[in-house]
Amino acid sequence: ISGASPSYHTERLRAGQIEEQRHAWDAKLTRYTGWGTIGLGAARSRESDYRSKAVSLSGSVNSEDRNTTWLFGLGASRD
């Protein structure tokens, strides 16, 4: 625990008075093709005092001789 008053939280933690619960999920779908891959992902997290959402797009492209693979990805989150 960090913040402006860590000693207050440390005492509460020792006394067993801090309890928190988090619900989260993360999923990604990937399509495999002859030339590479493409993936779409999403995530969400929720606590009593915090919310987060995220999306992503990723992929890969193979060279014709399959000796080289180029990777790319984009992501955005809001919390």
Side-chain angles (χ1 to χ4, degrees):
I1 295 175
S2 65
S5 55
S7 60
Y8 168 77
H9 292 297
T10 302
E11 291 302 317
R12 288 187 65 197
L13 185 59
R14 284 188 197 139
Q17 296 175 348
I18 294 178
E19 187 175 314
E20 220 173 64
Q21 192 172 40
R22 178 181 180 192
H23 299 277
W25 59 264
D26 186 342
K28 183 177 180 182
L29 295 173
T30 303
R31 167 108 184 184
Y32 296 89
T33 68
W35 49 266
T37 64
I38 189 160
L40 182 63
R44 187 170 187 163
S45 177
R46 184 173 44 117
E47 296 179 32
S48 62
D49 60 348
Y50 179 78
R51 307 265 189 277
S52 175
K53 297 177 184 177
V55 294
S56 64
L57 176 66
S58 62
S60 65
V61 177
N62 300 319
S63 63
E64 285 187 41
D65 62 4
R66 299 200 180 265
N67 262 343
T68 305
T69 302
W70 292 276
L71 304 172
F72 67 88
L74 296 171
S77 65
R78 180 176 176 140
D79 55 357

